[in-house]
Amino acid sequence: MRYQLLSDIGGFTYWLLIKFCKSDLEQELAKDKWARNILIFVILFSFVMYLSVNFQ
């Protein structure tokens, strides 16, 4: 997969913040959920960039 790192970061973020560590991390990092994981990563990255620009 081309965006493996972004998908893994997004899956970990989803597992940590949304699922509150109640599910299996390996299941959240599965290849069938890569689109959701990349979307979560992009949303988180956009939010962090917004905060960094807004409070600079």
Side-chain angles (χ1 to χ4, degrees), residues 28-40:
E28 298 300 329
L29 295 178
K31 287 188 177 187
D32 62 336
K33 297 181 181 175
W34 69 271
R36 181 202 64 197
N37 293 344
I38 291 177
L39 179 65
I40 295 294

Side-chain angles (χ1 to χ4, degrees), residues 7-47:
S7 178
D8 288 347
I9 293 171
F12 179 72
T13 304
Y14 181 81
W15 177 74
L16 192 65
L17 298 177
I18 308 297
K19 290 285 191 166
F20 305 111
C21 305
K22 291 183 181 177
S23 65
D24 187 24
L25 178 60
E26 194 171 311
Q27 185 182 24
E28 298 300 329
L29 295 178
K31 287 188 177 187
D32 62 336
K33 297 181 181 175
W34 69 271
R36 181 202 64 197
N37 293 344
I38 291 177
L39 179 65
I40 295 294
F41 175 77
V42 168
I43 291 170
L44 177 69
F45 182 75
S46 300
F47 181 70

